[in-house]
Amino acid sequence: MGWKPRQHARFKAALPIELRPNGVTTPLRGQTADVCLGGCYVEMMFTQEVSTVVDISIWIGDSKIYVKAEVVSKHPSFGNGFKFVQLTKDSATKLNNYLESLKTQGAMMDDSPFAGPPAVEA
């Protein structure tokens, strides 16, 4: 499989997030490292397995949006990449408005795929 450009522009953003894998009652908390209309990368110590479906709550200011997502990448002790598979129209509108505000602040990231944890500077 070759690399292909992302469908949505990705932005650096540290948003509080809770995820709940199916059947788990206590949410896992973390924060996004980046986010787009199609998904997000969440920094967390206890990562989820690829293909796991989770319910996610993301706080954007005083608003909370809900999405159903699937784990698409796993970097143990660092984080997971999530693809949004179900997003309500209201949540999509709130997220899009937030991302548009980031665009004006110049927070857009490059179009390369996430390669893993950042390099440690010596």
Side-chain angles (χ1 to χ4, degrees):
M1 269 174 72
W3 175 82
K4 62 181 183 178
R6 291 180 177 275
Q7 185 177 354
H8 302 285
R10 192 168 49 140
F11 297 88
K12 275 189 180 295
L15 298 172
I17 190 168
E18 281 185 356
L19 28 128
R20 227 180 229 106
N22 288 340
V24 176
T25 54
T26 306
L28 302 169
R29 291 182 171 82
Q31 74 175 20
T32 61
D34 63 61
V35 65
C36 71
L37 272 178
C40 62
Y41 192 87
V42 178
E43 297 171 338
M44 51 199 275
M45 181 65 77
F46 302 104
T47 52
Q48 302 298 299
E49 294 300 319
V50 171
S51 298
T52 300
V53 174
V54 298
D55 290 316
I56 294 180
S57 302
I58 303 173
W59 280 263
I60 301 174
D62 294 333
S63 294
K64 191 195 260 192
I65 66 168
Y66 302 95
V67 302
K68 189 168 284 293
E70 179 182 347
V71 177
V72 292
S73 67
K74 175 182 178 179
H75 302 98
S77 300
F78 187 76
N80 281 120
F82 293 91
K83 177 175 88 171
F84 298 155
V85 294
Q86 190 176 9
L87 183 66
T88 66
K89 187 172 182 174
D90 181 57
S91 291
T93 299
K94 287 177 183 173
L95 181 56
N96 189 55
N97 290 342
Y98 173 72
L99 296 174
E100 286 296 322
S101 75
L102 291 180
K103 195 180 290 185
T104 62
Q105 297 170 28
M108 193 177 313
M109 297 176 66
D110 66 22
D111 201 29
S112 61
F114 185 81
V120 177
E121 301 273 333

